[in-house]
Amino acid sequence: MSETAATSAPRPLRPETVVIALVCAIVLAAGWYVMSQRQQALRSSPAGLDGLQVWLTSKGVSAQNFAGGWLMDQTSIGLLVLPVYDTALDEERERPTTKEELLLQQDEYDLNFPTVADKALRVPTLVVLPKWRSGMRLTGLAHPILNVEQERLQATLRKVTGDRTAAPVLAETAFTDLSYRSSDGQDLRATIYAAQMFASDACTPIIGREDAMLLADCSLGVSDKGSGGRVLVLSDPDLLNNHGLRLGDNATIALDFIRSRAEDRNVVIDYSRSTWLRNPETDPVRERTWADLARFFGPPFLTLWLGAALTLALFLWRAALRYGPALPDLAAPGASKLLAVRARARLMRLSGQDGALVHDYAAARIAATAAALFGPAHARHYAGEGAFLNYTERRHPAEAPRLRGVLGRIRQLPARLPAAAAIQLIDELEQVLENIINDA
């Protein structure tokens, strides 16, 4: 019977399996944490656009940051702000190996132009071209030495606009002021440090001149997603990023321009590297949605779920409080005998058999004292009451009468006994046995 039970019991997990599973879980969690922290560090850095989202929201414009993960209804998006932190679209960036290479790194992550073109064809898009290397984000210092290479910027600009003659134009002064007329006719000034502008025949300037545009409405370059669309291009991100919003009237200009383009719809600052847009008119509609499942958690099912949750919580609480985890000594040798003794003692206490309980306790204490005096090999011979009394009369004559008297009174106890009387006899027995052990 025991062999059958042993073979049918489930095999315990090997320690190696548990360790491997824990390591894999830790690695996955660490990878996700590192990626999320790096994305968050970029967005909150001077080169990021978290400040723009906070500024727009504070002024009543619906704006959100988006890093991917779920589909978005493109009909609800008024303007997609797409910051480009890649000066070599469609090419894999080189990983820095030293601190100097990290500071001079020109690309924060890889981005594909077909993805940019696909988003621009789906929704109105503002492409923000790169300007700063990683050193600006890491040190917080905006110095012209940390500007991206003009050749790489030119290649990116030409790929976005499709104009092979487009070229960046750098300002000759430290700060450049560019005029902008707001939607309510107010004249504002955009202030840019080490301004990075561009010239292109495929663009119409919004801020700047034709030979030095800061913000323009341009044609969209050709890609495998198609062409013929239009895209807004901002050559210098300092108009919108955390570093530049505090300069001049940049914050006011950003608010006025984005609000007029969004037309009371959502503004999405898109950091994702793939397309998460969905057109509800052309994309297939799922037969089942999350709303179908949510119906089972609303009234009247909500009451049933709450009742089940409360019942489960009560069940777990009572189980943990009354039983708790398995004790480690329950699997040791002799555990079954110990459990039987405890169970018998508990039954005696519940049934009021205190007299019988004291009698059993006295016998157990004499056996335990014999084991302490003579060791396991000879304890069985002296464990009985008579043999232990004979030993006490020979070796401890002063304690023998007292021990015999206590044991005699215990044998004469009735089945039901007041707790005070039982405790008094147990205390007297313990004193005698303690004297015998100490005199040995």
Side-chain angles (χ1 to χ4, degrees):
M1 181 70 178
S2 60
E3 183 178 359
T4 304
T7 55
S8 61
R11 294 183 179 180
L13 292 176
R14 299 177 60 185
E16 296 83 355
T17 305
V18 177
V19 171
I20 293 175
L22 289 176
V23 170
C24 293
I26 292 174
V27 169
L28 291 176
W32 175 84
Y33 177 78
V34 169
M35 293 181 64
S36 62
Q37 288 299 107
R38 181 176 179 182
Q39 179 72 258
Q40 182 60 39
L42 175 61
R43 290 161 46 179
S44 60
S45 70
L49 301 182
D50 270 5
L52 176 63
Q53 186 269 334
V54 175
W55 168 247
L56 294 176
T57 303
S58 67
K59 294 302 180 178
V61 179
S62 176
Q64 69 176 95
N65 292 319
F66 182 71
W70 65 88
L71 294 177
M72 301 182 66
D73 183 0
Q74 65 186 50
T75 59
S76 65
I77 299 176
L79 182 64
L80 187 74
V81 180
L82 183 59
V84 177
Y85 296 99
D86 187 0
T87 59
L89 296 175
D90 304 327
E91 297 181 14
E92 186 175 355
R93 66 189 180 97
E94 297 182 1
R95 304 283 178 173
T97 57
T98 63
K99 291 183 178 179
E100 182 178 359
E101 291 181 358
L102 178 60
L103 291 175
L104 298 179
Q105 177 182 243
Q106 305 192 68
D107 304 331
E108 293 287 357
Y109 53 75
D110 293 322
L111 190 63
N112 296 323
F113 176 66
T115 301
V116 176
D118 185 28
K119 295 177 180 179
L121 289 172
R122 287 172 173 262
V123 296
T125 302
L126 170 61
V127 175
V128 182
L129 296 179
K131 177 180 180 180
W132 300 106
R133 300 173 187 250
S134 298
M136 187 269 195
R137 170 177 63 86
L138 297 174
T139 64
L141 301 176
H143 193 278
I145 197 175
L146 295 177
N147 288 145
V148 297
E149 293 180 3
Q150 296 305 301
E151 293 78 7
R152 297 167 68 98
L153 176 63
Q154 178 175 278
T156 302
L157 176 62
R158 292 180 176 180
K159 184 169 289 189
V160 171
T161 62
D163 181 9
R164 296 305 173 186
T165 63
V169 177
L170 300 182
E172 299 179 353
T173 58
F175 289 93
T176 302
D177 291 333
L178 300 169
S179 61
Y180 173 81
R181 181 175 289 273
S182 65
S183 56
D184 58 358
Q186 184 180 1
D187 291 329
L188 303 172
R189 306 290 292 181
T191 302
I192 307 296
Y193 170 72
Q196 175 181 277
M197 300 169 285
F198 72 101
S200 174
D201 295 334
C203 301
T204 302
I206 299 176
I207 299 179
R209 306 184 309 270
E210 292 184 356
D211 59 342
M213 293 177 281
L214 178 69
L215 176 63
D217 185 351
C218 304
S219 62
L220 182 63
V222 180
S223 72
D224 56 357
K225 300 294 183 180
S227 62
R230 304 292 295 180
V231 63
L232 297 171
V233 177
L234 176 63
S235 61
D236 197 315
D238 287 353
L239 179 67
L240 303 180
N241 62 20
N242 303 331
H243 160 67
L245 274 179
R246 60 187 178 85
L247 299 178
D249 298 326
N250 294 357
T252 306
I253 293 174
L255 174 63
D256 180 79
F257 175 76
I258 292 177
R259 174 180 284 168
S260 62
R261 292 284 177 165
E263 298 178 351
D264 297 330
R265 288 185 293 172
N266 194 24
V267 177
V268 177
I269 304 174
D270 188 7
Y271 295 93
S272 65
R273 284 173 277 180
S274 57
T275 303
W276 296 91
L277 303 174
R278 182 184 69 87
N279 188 351
E281 299 179 358
T282 59
D283 292 349
V285 180
R286 299 179 181 272
E287 296 182 0
R288 293 290 183 266
T289 63
W290 288 109
D292 298 324
L293 181 61
R295 291 183 303 172
F296 294 97
F297 294 91
F301 301 104
L302 181 61
T303 304
L304 298 178
W305 284 112
L306 292 177
L310 292 176
T311 304
L312 179 61
L314 179 62
F315 172 79
L316 294 176
W317 174 72
R318 288 295 300 167
L321 182 64
R322 183 167 184 172
Y323 300 103
L327 298 177
D329 58 346
L330 294 181
S336 59
K337 182 178 180 180
L338 178 62
L339 291 176
V341 172
R342 290 180 178 177
R344 183 179 178 184
R346 182 173 177 80
L347 290 174
M348 288 182 176
R349 286 291 299 144
L350 293 176
S351 60
Q353 302 293 321
D354 290 335
L357 182 61
V358 172
H359 185 272
D360 288 352
Y361 177 81
R365 288 296 293 124
I366 291 176
T369 305
L373 292 174
F374 310 109
H378 304 284
R380 184 182 298 274
H381 177 71
Y382 294 97
E385 182 178 325
F388 191 81
L389 283 173
N390 293 334
Y391 160 77
T392 306
E393 290 177 350
R394 293 195 308 270
R395 300 296 302 272
H396 308 279
E399 301 294 338
R402 187 180 177 188
L403 177 62
R404 188 179 296 276
V406 172
L407 294 177
R409 292 198 301 272
I410 290 177
R411 284 195 300 270
Q412 296 175 3
L413 289 176
R416 297 184 177 274
L417 182 70
I423 293 175
Q424 182 179 0
L425 288 174
I426 289 176
D427 288 341
E428 188 174 354
L429 175 64
E430 290 292 344
Q431 293 176 5
V432 175
L433 294 179
E434 183 178 356
N435 293 335
I436 294 175
I437 294 175
N438 294 334
D439 292 342

